[in-house]
Amino acid sequence: MRGTLRAGVIGAGAFGGRHAAKYAAMEGVALAAVLDSHPERAALLAERFGAAARGDIESFLGAVDVVSVAAPAASHARLALACLAAGKPTYVEKPLALELDDADAIVAQAARQGLVLACGFQERVLIESVGLGALRRPLRLETRRAGPPTTRGLDVSVVLDLMSHDLDLALALGAGEPLAVEAEGSADEARAEIVFGTGLVANFAASRVAGTKERRLRLVYPAGEVELDLVANTVSGFAGAGLSASAPEDRLQASLQAFVAAVRGERDRPLATGEDGARALDLALAVEHALGR
């Protein structure tokens, strides 16, 4: 697609507001429409950026070229399928769906129509920007993703809400297929250990009832260790790795820019594809199963 892209956002909550702001600030993109099940919220968000609030999905889809689905997770599959059926390249916030069959249907629909489908795993920005992709596959991976209680994301467990970012990152770093999954915890706080076919042993911790916000990643390689603090946006690690000393602060912006570039044909794929979203969902559901959920 050439010329100015008309972007639309479904969902006028916290995530939708962030997507709207990023599109409105992006060169070559205009935020054109906002859709939400609460019309007053859509109107308020649209007014902030000079966009139109639409009352139904048909008129919304007629006003846009690309779409971000940032509504509650339970509606992701239905909305993504509607957007793709209308021929719109679509960026779906994680999780791609709540059921693997639905995720597979979304991926298949995009493939049939030759449309770009992205999933909102913004931490994949780290692989390109920090240089993790140039390193060998890690031997161990440890993550902690935590924050104080909020009102958002409560329609899914902490595994699908927070831990899924790190599950996806492990897969993106070449972890391979999981051989064993063990987990303990609750809907709001969970830990998991996963052994992958490549030999990688990964430990994941996630909490949305913590006292402070943490986003930490530790990678152990044959030559040394790399640690990332994604709150301070710092990177430290073994010399000679050729890593950036800092992580980009606005990873959502970078992820959406990659999506738009893929739609324009300026890059081969978004940072995380629909297929990536389905793989991460499969792994997250395996953790949920190990938790007895």
Side-chain angles (χ1 to χ4, degrees):
M1 295 181 180
R2 298 297 170 186
T4 299
L5 287 178
R6 301 171 302 161
V9 175
I10 302 179
F15 280 119
R18 294 181 64 204
H19 280 250
K22 303 310 177 189
Y23 282 131
M26 199 178 298
E27 185 177 353
V29 178
L31 180 68
V34 177
L35 177 67
D36 192 275
S37 57
H38 300 277
E40 67 281 3
R41 293 202 311 184
L44 285 172
L45 181 58
E47 185 179 8
R48 280 174 54 195
F49 300 106
R54 298 287 177 169
D56 61 88
I57 194 165
E58 290 78 13
S59 64
F60 168 84
L61 290 171
V64 302
D65 302 310
V66 297
V67 180
S68 273
V69 175
S75 64
H76 283 187
R78 173 179 58 83
L79 293 170
L81 287 169
C83 294
L84 293 167
K88 309 300 179 181
T90 303
Y91 183 112
V92 186
E93 265 297 347
K94 54 78 195 164
L96 185 63
L98 297 186
E99 302 291 340
L100 196 56
D101 286 348
D102 288 336
D104 290 340
I106 295 168
V107 171
Q109 179 81 5
R112 278 195 300 270
Q113 296 187 239
L115 295 170
V116 175
L117 172 63
C119 191
F121 288 117
Q122 56 187 283
E123 305 296 28
R124 285 200 174 215
V125 173
L126 301 171
I127 295 175
E128 294 185 3
S129 62
V130 173
L132 296 179
L135 301 180
R136 293 179 58 187
R137 184 184 299 114
L139 303 174
R140 289 190 62 85
L141 182 152
E142 298 173 3
T143 72
R144 176 164 174 77
R145 186 173 295 264
T150 70
T151 57
R152 63 132 197 92
L154 298 181
D155 55 331
V156 294
S157 73
V158 71
V159 175
L160 289 170
D161 180 24
L162 296 182
M163 188 185 290
S164 60
H165 278 294
D166 299 315
L167 297 173
D168 172 72
L169 198 55
L171 294 171
L173 290 170
E177 295 300 316
L179 297 182
V181 179
E182 296 182 359
E184 60 181 12
S186 65
D188 293 318
E189 194 165 39
R191 302 180 67 88
E193 180 174 277
I194 303 177
V195 179
F196 292 90
T198 58
L200 170 66
V201 178
N203 286 275
F204 305 91
S207 173
R208 55 188 182 192
V209 290
T212 58
K213 182 177 180 179
E214 288 185 76
R215 301 285 189 272
R216 294 185 180 275
L217 174 67
R218 176 174 173 262
L219 299 160
V220 179
Y221 295 91
E225 300 181 6
V226 176
E227 294 192 12
L228 295 91
D229 182 333
L230 301 180
V231 175
N233 295 306
T234 58
V235 181
S236 59
F238 60 90
L243 301 176
S244 168
S246 62
E249 294 186 19
D250 199 338
R251 293 184 285 279
L252 176 59
Q253 180 78 19
S255 182
L256 288 172
Q257 285 175 331
F259 166 61
V260 168
V263 171
R264 292 188 185 280
E266 297 168 355
R267 60 180 286 153
D268 293 340
R269 47 166 281 162
L271 289 177
T273 65
E275 289 88 343
D276 296 325
R279 287 185 69 207
L281 175 63
D282 194 17
L283 187 54
L285 293 176
V287 173
E288 293 262 82
H289 180 73
L291 286 170
R293 292 178 53 81

